[in-house]
């Protein structure tokens, strides 16, 4: 940690504590405005700058524009994805299904559902949203492919469909609070085991 | 159809064309205001009356209050649920899964996702939302129970979990437009067959 006095002398130096604090304030201001009900469309660099207590130039030094800033802000909501251990396909799926729809920031509950109709109206915003979730999907896709290769999963598995089967129940419970009686803590394990085994009597 | 002249003579008579037209205008006004971004909390009987071109008393003659009106308006978005034929459990599930997240009114795409964070903040509104979807859940629950009784489905089936497994993939595709490459038209059939059979190699 640098000390405050020396930082104050060189405010433009990148990566120094003052710019880190400014970056943080800008991200926080963006998330606060979205959580308070601002649409992506209505959100402006001016409003974010005013809320963060910085000049617009400070934002443009760090981000190319609103979409780049939005992407960093929305990524912040989700935190870092878990890393599969690579031993058991079933255990890795339980880990990844447990991360589906999980957000580390409580503002996500207000921001994410309302974002959906908006991103669906704009191809650019839809792409931005896909860019945020795609790295997470990639992890699950890799585990499923490993399962097909090892013979644990059906050889004719449709990977994209399998991802929807595993992610859907978790997402509706977390984002839509679909069923009041399903216990979210044990849901990942129960979803994975049921989807792997199937519901048909044998 | 009654003729317009006689209707005009008895405006308070229930079920007559003039009151049907007023009911329709009130429901439409409610859905328009929600689709334009009004929250449930901000929505007022005054605003609905003004938009529908009726007096507040006309609304209160038909609905006990905002929540009762909201429930009728939101039910309108979804239309009438399909009725299972009762022969094959698999075919009935395909029919019901096909209706999950399906709305007959295009305003639903703007109203439903944003409604979720709001209903989750209020126990009363959460109950209202449950009242709308519960009759639809009941149909699927009955088909699943029939499958357990007939031996088609596992004897130890968790009905509520099974409903989440079947509904989740469809809901995320329809409400969240989860994966651009999954074909919504054949999804109900593929979801039901995959969930019934399971993904594990045998």
């Amino acid at each position: 940690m640098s000390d405050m006095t020396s930082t104050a002398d060189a405010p433009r130096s990148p990566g120094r504590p003052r710019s880190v604090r400014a970056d943080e304030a800008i991200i926080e201001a963006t998330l606060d405005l979205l959580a308070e009900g601002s649409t992506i469309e209505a959100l402006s660099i001016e409003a974010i700058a005013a809320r963060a207590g910085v000049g617009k130039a400070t934002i443009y030094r760090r981000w190319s524009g609103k979409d780049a800033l939005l992407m960093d802000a929305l990524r912040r909501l989700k935190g870092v994805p878990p890393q599969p251990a690579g031993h058991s396909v079933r255990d890795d799926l339980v880990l990844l299904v447990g991360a589906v729809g999980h957000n580390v920031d409580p503002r996500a509950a207000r921001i994410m559902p309302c974002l959906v109709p908006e991103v669906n109206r704009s191809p650019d915003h839809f792409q931005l949203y896909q860019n945020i979730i795609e790295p997470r999907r990639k992890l699950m896709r890799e585990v499923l492919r490993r399962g097909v290769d090892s013979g644990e999963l059906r050889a004719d598995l449709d990977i994209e469909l399998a991802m929807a089967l595993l992610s859907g129940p978790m997402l509706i419970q977390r984002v839509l609070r679909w069923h009041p009686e399903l216990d979210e803590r044990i849901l990942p394990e129960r979803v994975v085991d049921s989807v792997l085994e199937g519901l048909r009597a044998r």
Side-chain angles (χ1 to χ4, degrees), chain A:
Chain A
M1 304 277 271
S2 330
D3 82 271
M4 302 288 284
T5 323
S6 66
T7 310
D9 293 333
R12 292 207 182 179
S13 173
R16 302 290 291 270
R18 176 178 284 189
S19 29
V20 171
R21 283 197 308 274
D23 287 2
E24 194 61 35
I26 292 161
I27 294 270
E28 286 298 304
T30 306
L31 292 175
D32 281 344
L33 289 168
L34 288 173
E36 287 161 15
S38 170
T39 61
I40 291 185
E41 211 182 323
L43 196 69
S44 69
I45 293 290
E46 284 80 359
I48 296 168
R51 180 67 166 255
V54 302
K56 281 168 61 178
T58 305
I59 297 182
Y60 284 117
R61 264 202 296 278
R62 174 71 176 80
W63 289 277
S64 60
K66 191 170 85 171
D67 282 3
L69 168 53
L70 259 173
M71 196 144 107
D72 277 357
L74 295 176
R75 274 201 186 116
R76 177 73 61 95
L77 292 177
K78 300 204 78 61
V80 178
Q83 291 301 315
H87 306 304
S88 144
V89 164
R90 183 261 180 201
D91 292 351
D92 285 351
L93 289 176
V94 171
L95 179 80
L96 294 177
V97 167
V100 167
H102 177 75
N103 291 289
V104 294
D105 189 310
R107 284 170 294 193
R110 287 181 177 228
I111 295 175
M112 297 306 277
C114 278
L115 214 64
V116 170
E118 201 178 356
V119 300
N120 284 347
R121 281 200 292 274
S122 147
D124 286 351
H125 292 154
F126 187 69
Q127 196 49 56
L128 182 143
Y129 182 66
Q130 293 292 324
N131 290 346
I132 293 169
I133 55 180
E134 192 48 46
R136 290 161 181 273
R137 285 184 176 165
K138 189 164 169 280
L139 292 172
M140 194 183 288
R141 205 175 278 128
E142 284 165 357
V143 172
L144 288 167
R145 284 213 187 96
R146 211 178 79 220
V148 173
D149 291 346
S150 70
E152 286 166 90
L153 303 181
R154 304 163 65 113
D156 64 350
L157 192 74
D158 180 327
I159 303 278
E160 299 307 318
L161 178 64
M163 303 230 303
L165 298 180
L166 292 163
S167 307
M170 206 64 215
L171 265 181
I172 61 172
Q173 188 62 14
R174 287 212 165 124
V175 180
L176 307 180
R177 227 180 105 199
W178 191 71
H179 198 293
E181 279 160 41
L182 285 175
D183 183 343
E184 214 179 87
R185 292 164 303 175
I186 58 166
L187 199 56
E189 198 159 23
R190 300 195 63 206
V191 165
V192 171
D193 288 335
S194 305
V195 170
L196 290 181
E197 297 307 328
L199 307 184
R200 202 181 277 288
R202 292 178 204 286

